């Protein structure tokens, strides 16, 4: 690196490192610091060659323009100021800090005592941590220019998957692409998604993340990625050639196949953890602004995330960072939307959750972000943390009540019919009150968190011993049913029932009003061996097993069949709830005798049979759906119709039933769909 450089005041916007002519402008927000430095490193990232004082500007932004300086320059920040934890101040110039706005990182993060401000405890550390820190790297991608699919919510079918786990074991994807962004955009994986009928890929976190130290000490890794190191940089382990443009390329190839990309984003906490956590970035620049703490005791972090800290979205510059990050991923990286982890935190002030929070208002008025897909995980562990149904339009929400009710019904629980009916038709009780419709409900049976679909019919209890926490982690209320044997079984009766039960839940999911989300591996009966919290299992426990038999798995064909049927019927695209006053669509409920259900039928807690029709008066089409969760055969009469006949389209059981029959025996624990022809 040439030492013949010129230094100028620099601009305060944009924040981060930006390329301007033949130089680089650096800008960082640190309002309580006494002095900020840009530290430049050689190309190896090992040697700090220059430490340059930045200039303080109004509003607490420090800036410096350095010329000549090329793209690819490696750098970090150091901050001088008070080290007073009781005041919430953690300035320590010996700690190299990642630029919160870094678009690229270079090198590996290594856990060591060098990252901690007090080492040993009670003694201010004077040890330089640069050797163990990734360096920020100056990078500037051009904005994304590809055409986006723009699928309406009524046509959206979401497939939630992990970048690595989806393709790490796929034999038809070249080895160097397996488990990478470019593996997801490989032709064979795209073909698989299209064969299923998927329109939208939802990726577990791809923001740069690190494993928690307690995991690395046990020889484990953070696999899911909910431990963010930087909000602008793609996770580098998923790159083939360490080029962040590969993410853009992946998005472009998926868009060319008419598949959208949604990111699971974690703007609720960071990898800096709690009071005894490391100094990596935000804590060392503006701890009181970036993190929420007790008003009368700033050294105590509010821990509404369960991860040690909680991002303070009430602070204007924290809010700006999150919004800038979101726009970057839309405008530069090309993504189509976001699923917000622990989204309640993003709408919580000191007085509790409000849909009028500045974050939600900012999103809704933003000309870019208001136009993308927005999905909330509407809960956290903080006070008033469960807010399902409380987000405003145009937000969608993960509906865990849907998940639990459907599972409980197919497990054979009684007294489920009234609530099941609400969930099947979009959960009007949750969304209609604030002028939203059934398409605001993201319906799912399984996700990355919890049992897989196959494990939900193979295990009664969780089996998380491999996580190293003596099976104490993970949910205990799984609403699962092992079909008569815990875990693996070669009993043909057990395996047949397990397949049938998976089909039952898939059929229910894919023919419910709302937006269906499939967890990856559901289509091939992927098992995690009963582990319902595989966040630290970066191995074959989590990676999909792509065998020839799996690619032709009966569940893959079943999903395709049901989704093909769903796409033919406009009722699933209807954006408002069905009521008796609806002029086009009607829903009717029947007993097993083909007669209209009465109030007494709904309140008969012993009933585990539900039959209903969905009519489209305009197109003169209709579906009849039958769900029998009981363990006995039910003699059934199909409801009478004025014209045409009911024709069997799909069922979870392989029966030689007359496809135009009016009466038949509904097998125990089975589901059926008829179409009016």
């Amino acid at each position: 690196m040439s030492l013949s450089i010129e230094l100028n005041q620099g601009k305060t916007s944009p924040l981060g490192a930006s390329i301007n002519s033949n130089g680089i402008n650096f800008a960082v927000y640190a309002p309580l610091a006494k002095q900020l430095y840009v530290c430049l490193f050689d190309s190896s990232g090992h040697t700090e060659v220059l430490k340059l004082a930045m200039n303080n500007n109004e509003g607490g932004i420090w800036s410096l323009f350095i010329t000549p300086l090329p793209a690819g320059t490696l750098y970090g920040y150091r901050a001088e100021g008070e080290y007073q934890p009781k005041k919430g101040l953690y300035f320590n110039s010996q700690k190299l800090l990642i630029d919160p706005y870094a678009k690229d990182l270079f090198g590996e993060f290594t856990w060591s005592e060098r990252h901690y401000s007090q080492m040993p405890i009670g003694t201010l550390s004077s040890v330089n941590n640069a050797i163990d820190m990734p360096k920020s790297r100056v990078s500037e991608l051009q904005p994304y220019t590809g055409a986006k699919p723009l699928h309406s919510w009524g046509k959206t079918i979401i497939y939630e998957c992990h970048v690595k786990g989806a393709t790490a074991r796929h034999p038809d994807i070249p080895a160097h692409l397996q488990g990478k962004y470019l593996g997801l955009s490989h032709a064979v994986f795209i073909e698989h998604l299209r064969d299923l009928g998927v329109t939208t890929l939802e990726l577990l976190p791809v923001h740069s993340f690190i494993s928690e130290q307690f995991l690395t000490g046990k020889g484990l890794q953070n696999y899911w990625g909910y431990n963010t190191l930087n909000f602008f940089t793609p996770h580098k382990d998923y790159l083939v050639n360490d080029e962040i443009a590969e993410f853009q390329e992946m998005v472009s190839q998926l868009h060319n196949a008419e598949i959208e990309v949604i990111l699971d984003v974690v703007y609720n906490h960071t990898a800096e953890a709690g009071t005894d956590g490391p100094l990596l970035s935000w804590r060392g620049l503006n701890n009181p602004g970036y993190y929420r703490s007790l008003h009368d005791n700033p050294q105590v972090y509010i821990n509404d995330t369960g991860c040690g800290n909680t991002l303070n979205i009430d602070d204007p510059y924290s809010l700006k960072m999150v919004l800038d990050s979101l726009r970057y991923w839309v405008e530069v990286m090309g993504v189509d939307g976001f699923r917000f982890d622990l989204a309640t935190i993003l709408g919580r002030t000191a007085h509790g959750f409000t849909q009028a929070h500045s974050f939600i208002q900012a999103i809704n008025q933003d000309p870019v972000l208001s136009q993308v897909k927005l999905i909330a995980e509407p809960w956290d562990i903080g006070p008033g943390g469960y807010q399902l149904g409380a987000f405003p339009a145009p937000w969608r929400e993960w509906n865990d009540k849907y998940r639990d009710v459907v599972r409980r019904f197919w497990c054979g629980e009684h007294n489920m019919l009234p609530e099941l009916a609400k969930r099947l038709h979009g959960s009007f009780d949750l969304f209609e009150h604030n002028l939203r419709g059934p398409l605001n409900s993201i319906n799912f049976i399984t996700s990355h968190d919890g049992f897989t679909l196959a494990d939900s019919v193979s295990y009664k209890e969780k089996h998380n011993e491999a996580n190293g926490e003596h099976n104490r982690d993970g949910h205990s209320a799984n609403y699962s049913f092992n079909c008569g044997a815990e875990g693996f079984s070669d009993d043909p009766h057990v395996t047949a029932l397990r397949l049938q039960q998976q089909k039952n839940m898939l059929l229910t999911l894919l023919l419910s009003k709302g937006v269906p989300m499939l967890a990856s591996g559901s289509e091939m009966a992927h098992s995690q061996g009963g582990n319902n919290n595989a966040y630290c299992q970066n191995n074959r426990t989590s990676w999909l097993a792509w065998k020839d038999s799996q690619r032709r798995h009966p569940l893959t064909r079943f999903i395709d069949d049901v989704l093909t049927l769903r796409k033919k019927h406009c009722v699933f695209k209807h954006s408002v709830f069905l009521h008796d006053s609806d002029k086009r669509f009607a829903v009717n409920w029947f007993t097993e005798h083909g007669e209209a259900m009465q109030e007494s039928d709904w309140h008969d807690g012993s009933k585990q049979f539900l039959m209903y029709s969905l009519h489209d008066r305009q197109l003169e089409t209709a579906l009849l759906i039958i769900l029998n969760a009981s363990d006995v055969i039910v003699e059934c009469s199909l409801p009478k119709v004025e014209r045409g006949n009911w024709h069997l389209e799909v069922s979870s059981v392989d029966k030689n039933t007359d496809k135009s029959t009016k009466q038949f025996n509904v097998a125990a624990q089975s589901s059926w769909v008829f179409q009016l022809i």
Side-chain angles (χ1 to χ4, degrees), residues 515-584:
V515 179
M517 184 187 81
L518 291 163
S520 65
S522 298
E523 73 275 26
M524 58 182 70
H526 171 65
S527 172
Q528 292 175 172
N531 192 323
N532 75 349
N533 188 33
Y535 77 103
C536 57
Q537 298 299 320
N538 185 10
N539 50 51
R540 289 176 175 240
T541 297
S542 300
W543 305 341
L544 301 188
W546 292 91
K547 302 174 183 177
D548 286 342
S549 59
Q550 302 291 59
R551 281 174 280 176
R552 295 190 296 270
H553 198 282
L555 290 177
T556 301
R557 299 194 301 271
F558 186 79
I559 291 170
D560 179 37
D561 289 343
V562 179
L563 280 179
T564 299
L565 193 60
R566 176 189 176 95
K567 293 173 182 179
K568 290 179 180 178
H569 291 268
C570 296
V571 66
F572 298 110
K573 303 179 183 69
H574 198 42
S575 61
V576 298
F577 289 104
L578 298 185
H579 295 293
D580 292 341
S581 58
D582 195 294
K583 295 181 180 180
R584 178 173 178 180

Side-chain angles (χ1 to χ4, degrees), residues 157-443:
I157 310 295
I158 298 174
Y159 183 89
E160 185 206 35
C161 80
H162 188 280
V163 173
K164 182 173 184 178
T167 65
R169 301 177 64 190
H170 202 305
D172 294 336
I173 293 178
H176 70 289
L177 301 182
Q178 291 173 359
K180 309 295 184 181
Y181 298 122
L182 296 182
L184 294 180
S185 59
H186 190 276
V188 297
F189 188 72
I190 288 178
E191 181 183 8
H192 176 70
L193 296 178
R194 291 175 65 87
D195 285 346
L196 282 175
V198 168
T199 67
T200 305
L201 200 60
E202 181 178 310
L203 302 180
L204 266 66
V206 299
H207 291 169
S208 181
F209 64 87
I210 59 174
S211 295
E212 294 87 343
Q213 191 171 23
F214 78 87
L215 285 178
T216 61
K218 294 188 291 186
L220 298 171
Q221 297 175 323
N222 187 314
Y223 171 68
W224 286 350
Y226 294 92
N227 198 41
T228 306
L229 183 64
N230 181 269
F231 292 115
F232 291 83
T233 306
H235 192 59
K236 305 301 287 292
D237 287 347
Y238 304 151
L239 298 172
V240 178
N241 296 310
D242 200 36
E243 297 288 343
I244 59 175
E246 292 175 22
F247 187 94
Q248 271 188 339
E249 183 181 346
M250 173 198 71
V251 172
S252 178
Q253 293 299 323
L254 287 164
H255 283 174
N256 289 341
E258 293 296 309
I259 296 172
E260 296 175 311
V261 179
I262 289 178
L263 303 186
D264 191 337
V265 288
V266 190
Y267 294 112
N268 55 72
H269 75 282
T270 77
E272 290 187 311
T275 303
D276 57 351
L279 278 175
L280 305 177
S281 181
W282 309 273
R283 190 202 300 269
L285 293 169
N286 184 29
N287 181 71
Y290 281 121
Y291 298 114
R292 295 181 63 206
S293 61
L294 296 182
H295 177 72
D296 56 352
N297 193 359
Q299 70 176 329
V300 178
Y301 288 96
I302 292 173
N303 188 18
D304 291 341
T305 65
C307 299
N309 64 54
T310 303
L311 211 62
N312 179 23
I313 307 298
D314 286 341
D315 181 87
Y317 274 87
S318 296
L319 175 61
K320 173 178 169 56
M321 177 186 67
V322 172
L323 295 173
D324 288 346
S325 170
L326 291 169
R327 288 192 210 96
Y328 177 78
W329 287 95
V330 173
E331 296 183 309
V332 177
M333 292 303 198
V335 305
D336 304 281
F338 305 95
R339 179 266 189 188
F340 293 84
D341 182 62
L342 303 184
T344 307
I345 283 170
L346 304 178
R348 182 186 282 114
T349 68
H351 305 290
F353 175 85
T354 171
Q355 61 176 239
H357 192 281
S358 56
F359 170 76
I360 296 175
Q361 291 193 47
I363 289 279
N364 285 8
Q365 64 79 41
D366 189 285
V368 174
L369 300 180
S370 63
Q371 301 305 305
V372 303
K373 285 182 162 71
L374 303 169
I375 302 173
E377 180 187 40
W379 52 77
D380 62 40
I381 65 171
Y386 190 76
Q387 293 293 333
L388 176 60
F391 283 75
W395 286 76
R396 271 61 187 167
E397 300 177 43
W398 269 28
N399 191 343
D400 65 325
K401 288 190 174 181
Y402 177 94
R403 174 198 65 197
D404 292 349
V405 168
V406 172
R407 280 198 185 192
R408 291 171 65 190
F409 173 75
W410 284 113
C411 281
E413 286 193 32
H414 291 88
N415 299 297
M416 300 305 303
L417 294 192
E419 188 175 358
L420 177 65
K422 294 177 185 177
R423 304 298 158 239
L424 295 176
H425 291 280
S427 298
F428 70 88
D429 57 321
L430 300 175
F431 300 106
E432 195 170 27
H433 69 93
N434 59 359
L435 305 180
R436 294 193 292 165
L439 295 175
N440 288 88
S441 176
I442 303 296
N443 297 333

